[in-house]
Amino acid sequence: MIQETTFAYNPGEHEREKASNSYLMSLVALIAGLPLPIINLLATFFFFLANRKGTYFVRWHCTQSLFSQLALLGINSASFWWTVSIIFTEEKVSNQYFAYIFTVILFNLLEIFSTIYAAVQVRKGKHVQFLFFGNLTNLICRK
Amino acid sequence: MIQKTFLQALLIVSAFFLIWFGLSQVDFMKLFKVKERTTTMEQKLGDMIWNQIEDTEDIVYNDSITKSLDKLLKPLCDANDIEQDSLKVHIIIKDQINAFALPNNHLVVYTGLIEDCKRQEALQGVLGHEIAHIEKNHVMKKLSKEIGYSVLLTAAGGSKGGEMAREILKTLSSSAYDRSLEKEADISSVKYMMEAGINPKPMADFMYQMAQDSNIDKAMYWIADHPESEERAKYILEYIKGKKIKNKQTLSEKDWKTFQEKVGNQD
């Protein structure tokens, strides 16, 4: 799921801090924005915009953080609107609904733990790549 | 690299759906006692609203009147496997032409409606319509849609009970259900009547009579809030067209008149 590799260069103290902050930022926004999933994406996106002209290490981790948030946006939004439809329309709770909510909770927890891990490791200057999102970032983020 | 990324995306998506599918096999509805909780909420709400009505309205407790109403309900229930004892039927002394269903199988009829029905079959049709709302769980559907489950849960929990009871009562007694639910209740009522050998035509006539009454009062909720009553009469007649209609009268003409007089004397 999470792979630690060596980066193209040894990032400086300032870079490590900024890159690590991108994960912390997304973590705080994720928890704050859980009822309305769009908030965490917006927060991470603005952080990404602010750092898009930063060094390669900072840009790379901001991008990975943004992509992993983007994936959660879809599944969290679906659970949000499903719940709204149960409260306000004739839609009823079902085993499928509960199963979906628990799957979403599981994926959110996975995201929270991997984000904390990434924030800690990146702060130490280690390069952390998530499954799929790391590769995607490699494809998009240019030196 | 692109292929590897694509495969990893596929892996994540598949994992998501596999976990979802796997968890769907667990019977969460039973585990969380969803049905029992909903039933308890419905019982609490129904009794809370009924207590509110008992405190503020004049109720008919006259045995001969309630027995006659029970007699009118009996054939509808017997012929359609509806447990009559599960229905809590109440008559309120009010000249409004109204009847409505409350949660927990409470069925409320105003004396005004009973007096205004020219024939007993029309009253049975209205009762059948309200029974259908109860049987098909329309009452809770309407409440959850218009008031919201979270508010209902709070009300059933006890806090602000009186205020909420008034609000829920207002919702259920003075506004119509969705058009589709009304039609479902009308047709179900017609089916109940036909099954019991009762002629549903007077029910349609009652709707026509109300729709064409130019002096229709705002207080005549049962019809005033149903602007399509003429259309409803039409689809009822359309539904029974060509079908074999029996004409069993539950009460004798004399008993029906006596019943109406007794109800009238309550005012």
Side-chain angles (χ1 to χ4, degrees), chain A residues 75 82 86-88 90 92-96 98-100 102-104 106-107 131-132 135-136 138-139, chain B residues 1-2 4-5 8-9 11-12 16 19-20 23-24 26-29 32 34 137 144-145 148-149 178:
Chain A
I75 58 170
W82 198 343
I86 286 171
I87 297 172
F88 296 105
E90 283 170 26
K92 281 185 173 168
V93 284
S94 56
N95 287 333
Q96 280 70 28
F98 284 117
Y100 187 83
F102 288 127
T103 313
V104 169
L106 189 76
F107 272 69
L131 184 80
F132 170 64
N135 272 344
L136 195 65
N138 280 331
L139 285 170
Chain B
M1 180 73 131
I2 292 176
K4 197 177 165 191
T5 313
Q8 287 181 350
L11 187 76
I12 292 176
F16 182 86
I19 294 171
W20 183 12
L23 285 172
S24 300
V26 180
D27 195 349
F28 289 107
M29 301 290 281
F32 297 146
V34 174
N137 200 27
S144 62
K145 197 174 177 184
Y149 257 117
D178 276 0

Side-chain angles (χ1 to χ4, degrees), chain A residues 36-116:
Chain A
L36 269 176
I38 192 76
I39 295 171
N40 50 324
L41 181 80
L42 283 176
T44 321
F45 181 64
F46 286 124
F47 194 81
F48 166 79
L49 280 186
N51 290 291
R52 71 188 190 281
K53 283 178 183 157
T55 62
Y56 181 44
F57 187 72
V58 176
R59 271 190 292 124
W60 197 97
H61 284 284
C62 280
T63 311
Q64 177 168 261
S65 162
L66 177 71
F67 281 148
S68 57
Q69 286 293 322
L70 202 66
L72 276 189
L73 174 79
I75 58 170
N76 284 0
S77 298
S79 62
F80 174 76
W81 290 113
W82 198 343
T83 309
V84 166
S85 72
I86 286 171
I87 297 172
F88 296 105
T89 71
E90 283 170 26
E91 176 84 25
K92 281 185 173 168
V93 284
S94 56
N95 287 333
Q96 280 70 28
Y97 169 75
F98 284 117
Y100 187 83
I101 294 294
F102 288 127
T103 313
V104 169
I105 291 172
L106 189 76
F107 272 69
N108 273 278
L109 284 176
L110 215 64
E111 166 80 11
I112 289 171
F113 288 127
S114 49
T115 304
I116 294 171

